[in-house]
Amino acid sequence: MRGIWERKMSYWYGVEPRGWESHVHQSLEEDLGSGDVTAPLFLSNQRSKWYVEIQASGVICGLAIADYLVRAHPESEVDASPFTDGDRVDPGDLVLAGCSPTAHLLAVERTVLNYLMTLSGTATLTSRYVTATSGYPCRITETRKTIPGLRRLQKYAVRAGGGFNHRMGLYDAAMIKDNHIKAVGSIASAVETLRSQSSHMMRIEVECESRPQVEEAVAAGADIVLLDNMEFELMAEIVAEFGDRVMLEASGGVNLDTVGKIAQTGVHVISVGALTHSVTGLSMHLEIG
Amino acid sequence: MRGIWERKMSYWYGVEPRGWESHVHQSLEEDLGSGDVTAPLFLSNQRSKWYVEIQASGVICGLAIADYLVRAHPESEVDASPFTDGDRVDPGDLVLAGCSPTAHLLAVERTVLNYLMTLSGTATLTSRYVTATSGYPCRITETRKTIPGLRRLQKYAVRAGGGFNHRMGLYDAAMIKDNHIKAVGSIASAVETLRSQSSHMMRIEVECESRPQVEEAVAAGADIVLLDNMEFELMAEIVAEFGDRVMLEASGGVNLDTVGKIAQTGVHVISVGALTHSVTGLSMHLEIG
Amino acid sequence: MRGIWERKMSYWYGVEPRGWESHVHQSLEEDLGSGDVTAPLFLSNQRSKWYVEIQASGVICGLAIADYLVRAHPESEVDASPFTDGDRVDPGDLVLAGCSPTAHLLAVERTVLNYLMTLSGTATLTSRYVTATSGYPCRITETRKTIPGLRRLQKYAVRAGGGFNHRMGLYDAAMIKDNHIKAVGSIASAVETLRSQSSHMMRIEVECESRPQVEEAVAAGADIVLLDNMEFELMAEIVAEFGDRVMLEASGGVNLDTVGKIAQTGVHVISVGALTHSVTGLSMHLEIG
Amino acid sequence: MRGIWERKMSYWYGVEPRGWESHVHQSLEEDLGSGDVTAPLFLSNQRSKWYVEIQASGVICGLAIADYLVRAHPESEVDASPFTDGDRVDPGDLVLAGCSPTAHLLAVERTVLNYLMTLSGTATLTSRYVTATSGYPCRITETRKTIPGLRRLQKYAVRAGGGFNHRMGLYDAAMIKDNHIKAVGSIASAVETLRSQSSHMMRIEVECESRPQVEEAVAAGADIVLLDNMEFELMAEIVAEFGDRVMLEASGGVNLDTVGKIAQTGVHVISVGALTHSVTGLSMHLEIG
Amino acid sequence: MRGIWERKMSYWYGVEPRGWESHVHQSLEEDLGSGDVTAPLFLSNQRSKWYVEIQASGVICGLAIADYLVRAHPESEVDASPFTDGDRVDPGDLVLAGCSPTAHLLAVERTVLNYLMTLSGTATLTSRYVTATSGYPCRITETRKTIPGLRRLQKYAVRAGGGFNHRMGLYDAAMIKDNHIKAVGSIASAVETLRSQSSHMMRIEVECESRPQVEEAVAAGADIVLLDNMEFELMAEIVAEFGDRVMLEASGGVNLDTVGKIAQTGVHVISVGALTHSVTGLSMHLEIG
Amino acid sequence: MRGIWERKMSYWYGVEPRGWESHVHQSLEEDLGSGDVTAPLFLSNQRSKWYVEIQASGVICGLAIADYLVRAHPESEVDASPFTDGDRVDPGDLVLAGCSPTAHLLAVERTVLNYLMTLSGTATLTSRYVTATSGYPCRITETRKTIPGLRRLQKYAVRAGGGFNHRMGLYDAAMIKDNHIKAVGSIASAVETLRSQSSHMMRIEVECESRPQVEEAVAAGADIVLLDNMEFELMAEIVAEFGDRVMLEASGGVNLDTVGKIAQTGVHVISVGALTHSVTGLSMHLEIG
């Protein structure tokens, strides 16, 4: 599995480290502000051995950030982790360990854990949806319903959990949604306008709430059709009729109880808002000793 | 209740707008990047009436951010909201409405909703803990386990939900935790060192896992003692013996089932990690028409 | 024509103003640094009437930036311009005029002109390529060969000149180029890998230098095929055979002498590096009086 | 020649690297945005040998930027270049070569080339003007007509091409131009006001359009007189009469056909707007293998 | 003394380096702007030995900043200093020395000295107040009257001089001052409101101008009482009556003549505005050779 | 005098507001951090009348900054001040007054006063040097010995106090100092190298410690000669011999006792390090009521 995951990493290669470091500096600033007022407890040459221990089962994500934060002090040592982002972890697993100046370690401890808990939480939830649809050829993706400021990292965590990414934002693919259709008047004219104005490199997806809308979207030449909150049977019918002519994505009302049945309809993509609009941190702690 | 809330708002006055706006600009950048590729659908003078409708019961939070985003276009109009941050909302409530250039509205729609959903989720969860402890004089506070980058806004949402804030970070109050004690050797020497080195304006809290530790912390002159993961009976005993000499805070293993019993022990503060390390977005949507 | 242009503007709506203002502030800083040392010539209440006069024929672009710079002083007045970005201009046309505090006007004069000259230069050159291919259904687009730091504004100027945009960067569409193919080994495996890893919202273009490569790319399911530096005849043959199954883009060796003949081959898109890797400023000046 | 060039480099020492790096990061962001979507093609340990090959004759400039971009990945190796900024290059010259992780190389390739093409274009054009005036003691300089955002780098390229720099902006030397004179009333009062108000470290140049204006400027004590768009004969007369009392600069209507004749008049400085208001990129490409 | 000082350093550990570097870059930008115009004097491989020599007696502060600036060039060497921030220095002491590229050294020289002179000036003045109160158990602290932009560094220098820090700003501790009392009406209601609204981690100090105000503040439960501009006798009386129940701080009218007598009254803290609202640079210079 | 001062203001026009606002925001951040913890004392609609009262005689400077800070709240009102930067003020003068939301006023109070005290201190000290040399035609200027981060504002304050500015930094004029001469070998070669390499717009000053050095500098064509720490008689001799051929600046050992005698020697410029390397804040306070 590591080979596949290295490919995933490279998807982010080049740009992610930049945004990622700046996000980390801002989060550290939130916690450290004008300085850690308990740090005077420690002489500058005092060091401690430490480890991060998992307290619940899930998928780990964010190790590079944790490593970066602890290594920020030039005399801080971090052991090579036996885990990689995307790996399954269980209680008692030590995902990171090392030996660091104590004052530094305790200055970054909370920020390290906040990233690991948050991103592993998203990776873990994603992996549940992926497992619940295993055997079906559909992809699980997140939506644009993300925690403000955390989108790129959440999308990375979705991939660590075995999911795929939807568009990054309003800028890298076009989706004609209900509010667009209301404002423009018809799916046909919306697709036609976009085709004639936007880059030839841009895919166009149309959100549909009924079978006639799907027909209109397919006729207009949509690249992808989103089936919004439809009944299983209707989705299955649409897949049967249009599934080899257009990519079909299901969204709305997706949860761990329904996702398997949705996958069964044969849709190509299932997008899940809960993957990123909510977060349940994966429990873990950092211990000295 | 509005009067109290206005006081809460003033707590943030002066600085919050700054950090808040910069956070909002970064979140908008996540979504808009190099530009909204569906915007060519709309002529620049096309306008739409719109409203944000609540789809689940909870406490609303983040209205000023939503208002700011929609008003970013000079020709965008937002009606005065009948709601204020901290107000209870139910399905069907329209928390914000107005009339705006359509292209602008749809460019900020998702960012508006992401803030409102995230912050209202935290306010809503906080209000459940506050309700579960009503009748007891203790405060509900969050911890430093926050979503990276979102700490100030989450702390604001905790207050909107009726909670109080713990320290903002490592810089505005001292807490001697288990890792500090391990590294320094004893509670007594840790408190003494901090008292002699840190600002006379700084309070010192000590995290204790046992009654002897509490005794040592009180004797050393701690301002606040945190009772970490203790049994209800032990907490009650400690409150009875030390509760009028030192402030007592309970933490660890706090959930909606246990928080009432913890409050019953008489502790002054209960801090709840889940308020901010996890997020369940409050459902709502923006509709044109 | 104004109606069409308003659509173009909306393509950039929402995000462009932000990047644009920050670019303008940096350019102003280049010129003003620690302050204009000739400004002491003018008392603070001295005002001047002024106008920007075109000195060569072309297409104007950048008026909003010019307007923004002059209006930066609250007492500076700018008349509504009779021109819009994308309009044709000739020597003697006054594209902007107003009455401003003299010290402010002369502080921003050069930056105003540098933007107008640069962007109008790109719009003007684009319009020549568009004119040279009029009557053919193909689009003229720029490439990623842009002046460092100026990409978004240059892409805007290309649209003002009647062109269309290619992808914005490496992030919003995939192109498999010669160096990718060399590194990966074959077009087929490159397309297959991208399809299985990248977002379902992403189009894939393949750069081909020969007919067999085109065949391989089409068979692999490329959305767009780039015909790199091919002979007219070969392009025409490829269009005849594949033009209704895949979008075809011509690039390489495109100039004002060849672009008409390339359009004649029936390709759907012609991308022109010179539109943005080189700049010939459109002559104009700002006069007081 | 290398010795002279090292001096030129030192002119920029200390500050240029800072501004330069920040400019490069912004340009990289333009291209990479939320990440290179073709990068999943490459495993993270795949490496490629590469070189940058010149495709037209000119003067190379920007090698340090190219080197910086490629070396941004810690496992990327760049060979010592046989060329230095300011060196003449011809088709087939390999100005930079190395061995780098393929995904990184292709992520920075376009930005590397965009800088090298743009700056080498300016250096090359400058060298043509320098060659066209060889044998005369006058300097070739650029003006403040620069591509927005690129001024410092363009001024560096002018020096790489053998030219000299005019003032950097409005802040490091005073020039009284036509619009100043119109607004103030007379050259004499403008010079007098500036002398009495501005720093004693500041030189003052006066733009003159006629012989009487030159006389007035010299009488007022201008340090430098700019002869704006004058006939060759008039310039020669003015040089004969004032050339040993004041520095004389010619500007306006300078091109490769006229610059030799202008130099012949004996002026000390010839400033050329086209050096920096227009750009013709020098052709080159990056090849793997 | 070094042991104590290492503890002081750790107070700033973790966050200070970040703010500190950004402050240094801004200060360097002030001096270098678009580049050092005398640098062409030096070939890029020319190096010089140098040292910073003290010209007046005092306490040194800012060595890490000086070291950072000189080491900014990778080929610059700095010897380990025999001095540490907080050490006493006398004329002729060489606090820093090394061997650096000459162009780099002279580019940073002034910024190096400006930091050392400014911060050592503050440390030196603080040490005079500390000496003048030696033998008394009170602390010397600065106030919020600081040079704009320099607060964190000045507070660091106060500690280097043997002083202690008051609150960092309005955010890390509450002080109810005369203007607050005027606006709210009474000390009692001000303290009560703050206690019920602000974090349980926050100390509250009340500024009092009379004995009745002190009584009111103590009764209201203030943690610290500031005795503003009081007579020595009154302060001594208040210490005798309230000194074991509340922390007492003297402020106002403190100078080197009065500070000893104030210490004699038994107050716990003396805060001195002049430590940071004024600066007398400690004389020193950098010499080559 | 107001007329002259308006000219001075315009010297800074255009650029200063930008740098100035960013400096103010950083200084406010120092004080406000995560928020004013005493603000909950005030309801959001509570307002107070207030004024800033001078407590010592001097020259006021920084009013625009104070005005900007108080006006940052949209409901804050500031009366037109009867004073302008550069005006003389005495105890009891009310330099600024208005009516503002109390919470906002007290949030910005300290930052307002810190700027006014610091800048007025510099303006006041400058005015003493100007007064001490009244009747002589020489200028008083500051040096590059400035408080880190405050250079532009201190240079503005020097002008408000009636002084003139020296160069802003290393970038806008060349000065060959003792360390340059040591490193290069001779004044003559240093001047020659700079003349041949640096912009024709750049003045060159040479720091001399003896009469032979002055002779060498004048012969080499220096624009300005700095007489460093010379005896009065020697300076007078040098003025007599070279004063009409070159500008002469005295520096070193300048204080209020010596500056008059130095002016008497006839030098054109006297630069005073103490104007900006040290600060004595001008006393003032802000009162409610």
Side-chain angles (χ1 to χ4, degrees), chain E residues 92-112:
Chain E
D93 281 346
L94 306 188
V95 291
L96 215 65
C99 183
S100 306
T102 312
H104 171 70
L105 180 70
L106 296 181
V108 299
E109 171 191 17
R110 180 57 20 226
T111 307
V112 163

Side-chain angles (χ1 to χ4, degrees), chain C residues 20 31 37 55 57 63 78-79 83 87 101 113 131 164 167 170 208 241 243-244 269 277 284:
Chain C
W20 175 90
D31 201 29
V37 297
Q55 298 174 298
S57 292
L63 288 169
V78 182
D79 304 341
F83 296 92
D87 281 354
L113 292 172
T131 301
F164 286 81
R167 59 175 175 165
L170 292 170
C208 298
E241 185 164 348
D244 50 358
V269 178
H277 72 50
M284 61 189 75

Side-chain angles (χ1 to χ4, degrees), chain D residues 226-274:
Chain D
L226 184 145
L227 312 179
D228 185 31
N229 261 309
M230 288 186 185
E231 300 291 323
F232 301 136
E233 297 70 27
L234 180 53
M235 284 196 276
E237 276 177 41
I238 289 170
V239 169
E241 185 163 346
F242 301 102
D244 50 358
R245 293 158 58 192
V246 73
M247 193 176 292
L248 295 169
E249 172 183 340
S251 198
V254 185
N255 55 48
L256 283 167
D257 293 332
T258 62
V259 71
K261 288 185 193 161
I262 296 173
Q264 221 174 339
T265 65
V267 293
H268 308 100
V269 178
I270 304 174
S271 54
V272 188

Side-chain angles (χ1 to χ4, degrees), chain C residues 7-76:
Chain C
R7 281 178 183 268
K8 282 185 196 166
M9 285 291 291
S10 68
Y11 176 72
W12 294 90
Y13 181 77
V15 64
E16 202 44 32
R18 284 215 311 291
W20 175 90
E21 291 178 7
S22 136
H23 197 274
V24 167
H25 293 171
Q26 288 182 33
S27 301
L28 201 59
E29 175 68 24
E30 282 183 337
D31 201 29
L32 285 175
S34 45
D36 176 4
V37 297
T38 62
L41 288 177
F42 309 108
L43 292 174
S44 64
N45 60 352
Q46 185 172 336
R47 297 172 67 81
S48 298
K49 281 174 161 285
W50 57 271
Y51 55 87
V52 174
E53 186 182 34
I54 298 297
Q55 298 174 298
S57 292
V59 173
I60 191 72
C61 186
L63 288 169
I65 295 178
D67 184 273
Y68 173 82
L69 277 162
V70 183
R71 277 189 212 273
H73 191 294
E75 290 160 24
S76 190

Side-chain angles (χ1 to χ4, degrees), chain C residues 28-29 32-36 39-40 42-44 73 103-104, chain F residues 3 6-7 10-16 18 152 168 171-172:
Chain C
L28 201 59
E29 175 68 24
L32 285 175
S34 45
D36 176 4
F42 309 108
L43 292 174
S44 64
H73 191 294
H104 171 70
Chain F
E6 288 194 23
R7 279 177 184 268
S10 68
Y11 175 71
W12 294 91
Y13 180 75
V15 66
E16 203 46 29
R18 284 214 312 290
R152 288 192 192 176
M168 288 301 295
Y171 58 90
D172 61 338

Side-chain angles (χ1 to χ4, degrees), chain D residues 11 139 159 165-167 203, chain F residues 197-202:
Chain D
Y11 175 71
R139 293 177 166 199
R159 289 182 69 88
N165 291 150
H166 212 290
R167 60 175 175 165
R203 283 206 164 161
Chain F
Q197 295 286 336
S198 65
S199 171
H200 66 286
M201 301 297 279
M202 205 55 76

